[in-house]
Amino acid sequence: VTDPRRQRALWRVREDGAGLATRMADGGEAWSGWEDAAVPPERLGAYLREFDALLAGHGRRGVTYGHYGEGCVHVRIDFDFRRGHRSFLEDAADLVVAHGGSLSGEHGDGQARSELLPRMYPPAALRAFGRFKAAFDPENRMNPGRIVEPLKVDADLRVLVAPPVIPTRARLALRADGGDLAAATRRCVGVGKCLNTSGGVMCPSYRVTREEKHSTRGRARLLFEMLGGQVVRGGWRSEEVRDALDLCLGCKGCKRDCPVDVDMATYKAEFLHHHYRRRVRPAAHYSMGWLPLWLRLRLVNRVSARLARFGGVDPARPLPVPVRSFQSRFRPGGGGERVLLFPDTFTNHFEPGVGFDAAAVLGHAGQGVEVPRGAVCCGLTWFSIGQLGVARRVVRRTARVLRPWTRDGVPVVGLEPSCTAFLRSDALEVAGDDPDVVRLAESVRTFAEHVSPLLEPVAGGGSAVVQPHCHQYAELGLDADRELLAKAGVSASVLEGCCGLAGNFGFERGHHDVSMAVGEQALFPAVRTAGAGTAIVADGFSCRTQVRHGTSAEPVHTATLLRRRLGL
């Protein structure tokens, strides 16, 4: 392949393959250790059949990918490193040599294969290798233990991170990894797709700082080393890990863009839970993390908003001012199929107009809109700062309040993407053992998911620049939103990238510059260059707030745009 674009595309496919192959179909872990062997292409079929038999004979399974046109095969295997590892490698080396192949067809031999080279090369060749190295490296300083006088292939293995001083069983469910944080950190195999400088969602803080510790890969490695307790000491109190995670926006872009679904926002919540357990937390954890409670108690107003400067809020960040809540003003009316509109904290207390716009559109679509009278909250603000016990209690209480609707199969429509995504996904990490929470997760719909099938197409007209919320991008997808905007006759340009505010993150002291720099990556330039009359659509309250702080535009929620298009 000579076309540079096709070369880059093939490289991306290979990167994804390297990551995806770290997990078996049943979720079990697969490891490197027999990679890169190659045989003459005409021998590939016979080699692979015999290799499969070899795996079965050793009671192992493997995920195979590679460059079959060149006869080069990569395999990730569910090794048991406590027994049988060496014997398998020896048998595999003999097999590839029997087919006239090479132990390493693409990369170097390293410690993983050097000890096996006598099975491939005659003694005279190995002695020649030794003489060559001695001539250029008489003191054996360059990469000792490789090729010449090699170390054992099974020496220095360091994989199973389970020191008794740092239990790896997570407080969160970590359903994809059996509740084991060590297994979760081992998802990262260093592919480096998060070292992204050209666009997309993952990883916004790395794109600003260009420091490895601020990449998904760097953070995963720090957590791994923290659990190992040798390189990173201090356990859950580690300041190195805390500082690296501090600039993690919790955007969850990695959960979607990483080939193996590393979910750093969730790992950060787990770490913060342990790091600040029985300790005084940063001021912003009390002011921003507990914001839903302060709003419900009416302790946030124009005066106390100014006092929030003492609560860890960056002075460069204007604070939104609460108004009379959507719940207190909403009055149900009309008939139709029942639907529950979820009054999230941000819609309820800061932008109730979005709630009324959504209710009008739902009513137009023949829905009987209902809103709960009791206080409800998904618990995301507590989850994001690692107060997992509080988050669990909050979401369980909300699920009980909504039980009369979810028990009857009434759809629950969310307007704030972060809250909707939390109720559908992260709530199960926090309280997935609660049947009410499970039923709520199954009942939640995004506004677009619920409305799009009900809406008749509207005559075309108008355009929009759309900033998706990162949590919606990661957890829910945007297909329904694209479909809904198309039905509304809106020509939509959907941006790729984080807005930079990310809930609490952009308000916390010390994060303002990074937050705004992230906004400059895609969002702000797109808004500033949007044509006259082009709507700026952002369903996330954070995203709309960031647009207001970084540009002169006034963004709208999809529900607001749709109400205008329908003339309601």
Side-chain angles (χ1 to χ4, degrees), residues 147-478:
I147 312 297
V148 176
E149 298 180 0
L151 296 169
K152 300 294 184 183
V153 295
D154 53 353
D156 303 324
L157 289 174
R158 188 165 61 95
V159 174
L160 303 176
V161 181
V165 294
I166 310 178
T168 63
R169 180 61 48 182
R171 173 69 182 269
L172 294 170
L174 295 185
R175 294 167 292 162
D177 294 290
D180 185 2
L181 183 61
T185 65
R186 291 196 298 265
R187 282 183 170 271
C188 179
V189 291
V191 168
K193 197 170 183 180
C194 51
L195 304 181
N196 167 30
T197 60
S198 59
V201 179
M202 179 181 72
C203 175
S205 53
Y206 173 78
R207 291 178 62 195
V208 172
T209 69
R210 305 294 175 92
E211 292 186 45
E212 175 81 15
K213 69 178 181 179
H214 295 142
S215 68
T216 304
R217 180 174 75 177
R219 291 171 177 135
R221 190 66 195 180
L222 281 167
L223 285 167
F224 177 91
E225 297 292 356
M226 179 199 75
L227 295 173
Q230 297 176 359
V231 177
V232 176
R233 301 183 182 276
W236 295 115
R237 299 289 192 253
S238 166
E239 295 184 2
E240 302 100 312
V241 178
R242 181 202 62 198
D243 292 346
L245 288 172
D246 180 59
L247 289 188
C248 171
L249 280 76
C251 69
K252 284 184 174 284
C254 49
K255 187 175 182 180
R256 172 71 179 272
D257 290 348
C258 174
V260 287
D261 303 332
V262 170
D263 184 0
M264 191 52 61
T266 298
Y267 307 164
K268 177 181 179 179
E270 180 75 26
F271 173 82
L272 292 177
H273 167 76
H274 294 281
H275 185 75
Y276 289 110
R277 190 178 183 188
R278 300 190 181 96
R279 302 173 76 192
V280 175
R281 289 171 165 269
H285 285 204
Y286 300 105
S287 60
M288 302 301 298
W290 286 73
L291 183 63
L293 178 61
W294 309 143
L295 288 166
R296 190 163 73 245
L297 296 177
R298 300 181 182 179
L299 296 179
V300 178
N301 53 37
R302 292 180 184 272
V303 175
S304 59
R306 293 188 181 94
L307 296 178
R309 301 304 181 197
F310 299 101
V313 177
D314 197 293
R317 182 67 72 173
L319 286 166
V321 178
V323 296
R324 186 182 172 194
S325 72
F326 170 66
Q327 272 182 298
S328 67
R329 296 160 56 188
F330 177 79
R331 298 292 180 268
E337 195 169 334
R338 297 175 68 197
V339 61
L340 182 72
L341 196 57
F342 185 80
D344 64 87
T345 295
F346 308 101
T347 301
N348 197 31
H349 293 284
F350 293 115
E351 294 194 35
V354 171
F356 288 110
D357 293 338
V361 173
L362 288 166
H364 173 80
Q367 304 288 284
V369 181
E370 302 173 20
V371 173
R373 306 312 303 171
V376 293
C377 178
C378 67
L380 173 60
T381 59
W382 286 280
F383 177 89
S384 64
I385 59 174
Q387 294 198 335
L388 304 183
V390 180
R392 175 180 171 84
R393 291 193 294 273
V394 168
V395 73
R396 291 186 68 187
R397 183 187 182 281
T398 293
R400 288 196 301 273
V401 171
L402 301 185
R403 184 190 297 161
W405 289 273
T406 59
R407 186 175 51 200
D408 292 344
V410 177
V412 178
V413 173
L415 297 175
E416 171 58 41
S418 60
C419 299
T420 308
F422 185 88
L423 288 173
R424 189 181 289 183
S425 178
D426 287 320
L428 300 177
E429 293 288 344
V430 176
D433 57 340
D434 187 319
D436 286 333
V437 173
V438 173
R439 189 162 48 241
L440 175 56
E442 294 170 347
S443 303
V444 169
R445 309 283 186 273
T446 69
F447 178 75
E449 286 172 342
H450 190 78
V451 171
S452 185
L454 306 174
L455 184 69
E456 294 296 326
V458 179
S463 60
V465 171
V466 180
Q467 171 63 40
H469 192 287
C470 293
H471 288 195
Q472 180 169 358
Y473 170 82
E475 301 280 13
L476 307 172
L478 300 165

